[in-house]
Amino acid sequence: MITWLIATITALGRKFQQTQRSGLLPLLAPFLLLIAIGTFVYAFLEGWTLLNALYATIITITTVGYGDLSPQTAAGRIFAIFFTLFAIGLAGYALSTAAAVVFEGHRAKMALKRLEKRMQQIAALSGHVIVCGGGILANRAAGEFRRRNMPFVIIEADEARLKHTLLWLHAGYVEKRQRHYASLDEVDLSIEERKTVEELAEESGILYMLEDPADEQQLRAAGVHRAYGVVAAMTDDRDNTTIILSARDMARRLGNPQLRIVASAHD
């Protein structure tokens, strides 16, 4: 019995924590308060039992209205009018907010699953190239590796820069750009430009990491110990220097001394 009670309390505690993290607790509290207010006011004004008052409160909030129990006093009916209006408004707000919370939670879970899948694909790479940066040089290098069927992964911390790089690796976007340059015809680029980094990468079959390539942990996650080479194409020479030193040191320590490193130098 004690074991069952402890297990029940533990389960309820976990449920409470999940509800609190999900953002539904601020919506649940006003509902409970509304039910309590309706129950006690109905019981006081109409002289009902707490059970009947609770029943009347619930059918009022849910707008079921069976008609078997309704306020008979003037005060009770006036309270019912304002209580019903307030309850319906709160219910509408709560339902829309709860739907948004559930949708956001589902989207976050799906994004996490896609991230895990992408990292598993990166973890399976071998003999690939790690392209660090998202500028023009990184784009040209990634495009060349793609033409040569050389596996690669792009690491860039700036989402806008990464998106611009992926756009120029997206076949549909490039085809439209080339058509515009050749004929000067108006083309609609908004379809591709409205897409997210994740959508562009998925459609183009490109693996990426939205992380800082100068971070040793991110280089390791990208498989520097299994890679054929690293392209340091950051816009800041200091970042390129950090990547060179980190990649070379990690490659030696992790058993990949033949790692090839190519870096851009602006100054």
Side-chain angles (χ1 to χ4, degrees):
M1 181 66 180
I2 296 177
T3 304
W4 176 83
L5 182 61
I6 293 175
T8 303
I9 294 174
T10 304
L12 289 175
R14 284 198 298 267
K15 288 293 183 182
F16 178 79
Q17 291 177 351
Q18 291 175 358
T19 304
Q20 190 175 25
R21 286 196 300 267
S22 67
L24 294 176
L25 188 60
L27 301 176
L28 184 62
F31 259 117
L32 295 177
L33 180 61
L34 190 66
I35 291 173
I37 292 174
T39 300
F40 286 109
V41 173
Y42 273 137
F44 174 76
L45 294 177
E46 298 297 324
W48 293 335
T49 64
L50 288 178
L51 179 59
N52 285 339
L54 176 63
Y55 172 72
T57 301
I58 296 299
I59 64 175
T60 300
I61 292 176
T62 57
T63 68
V64 174
Y66 291 117
D68 55 342
L69 193 65
S70 59
Q72 300 301 314
T73 65
R77 290 179 177 178
I78 291 174
F79 172 74
I81 291 172
F82 291 100
F83 182 75
T84 303
L85 292 175
F86 184 77
I88 291 175
L90 178 62
Y93 170 76
L95 286 176
S96 61
T97 306
V101 170
V102 172
F103 176 75
E104 288 296 329
H106 176 71
R107 188 167 66 174
K109 288 181 180 179
M110 294 303 296
L112 180 60
K113 288 183 179 179
R114 288 192 291 267
L115 173 61
E116 291 175 348
K117 180 181 178 181
R118 189 168 69 250
M119 294 310 296
Q120 288 175 356
Q121 291 176 320
I122 293 174
L125 290 177
S126 181
H128 59 292
V129 177
I130 302 173
V131 180
C132 301
I136 296 177
L137 291 178
N139 178 269
R140 296 291 177 84
E144 184 63 27
F145 295 138
R146 192 177 188 183
R147 283 188 290 272
R148 294 171 179 264
N149 293 320
M150 181 72 144
F152 65 92
V153 55
I154 300 176
I155 311 179
E156 170 58 57
D158 188 308
E159 186 173 0
R161 186 182 293 273
L162 177 60
K163 181 176 179 178
H164 186 263
T165 300
L166 293 175
L167 274 172
W168 283 99
L169 293 171
H170 189 278
Y173 182 82
V174 173
E175 188 274 331
K176 288 181 178 180
R177 282 288 190 180
Q178 290 175 341
R179 179 154 37 94
H180 172 69
Y181 293 149
S183 61
L184 296 181
D185 292 336
E186 291 294 330
V187 294
D188 184 11
L189 302 172
S190 62
I191 298 176
E192 288 77 17
E193 290 176 347
R194 283 198 300 265
K195 292 180 179 179
T196 64
V197 166
E198 190 173 38
E199 290 171 337
L200 290 171
E202 186 174 347
E203 292 177 5
S204 303
I206 295 173
L207 295 175
Y208 72 93
M209 292 172 58
L210 190 59
E211 303 288 351
D212 182 8
D215 185 346
E216 284 191 0
Q217 295 302 319
Q218 304 308 327
L219 286 175
R220 180 159 188 168
V224 69
H225 51 298
R226 303 183 309 272
Y228 170 77
V230 170
V231 174
M234 305 290 285
T235 56
D236 193 322
D237 286 345
R238 291 170 297 182
D239 291 332
N240 287 329
T241 303
T242 301
I243 292 170
I244 292 169
L245 296 176
S246 298
R248 179 60 66 203
D249 179 63
M250 291 180 66
R252 286 172 178 168
R253 287 190 288 111
L254 297 174
N256 188 18
Q258 302 303 317
L259 179 74
R260 300 188 65 181
I261 301 175
V262 178
S264 65
H266 300 278
D267 185 2

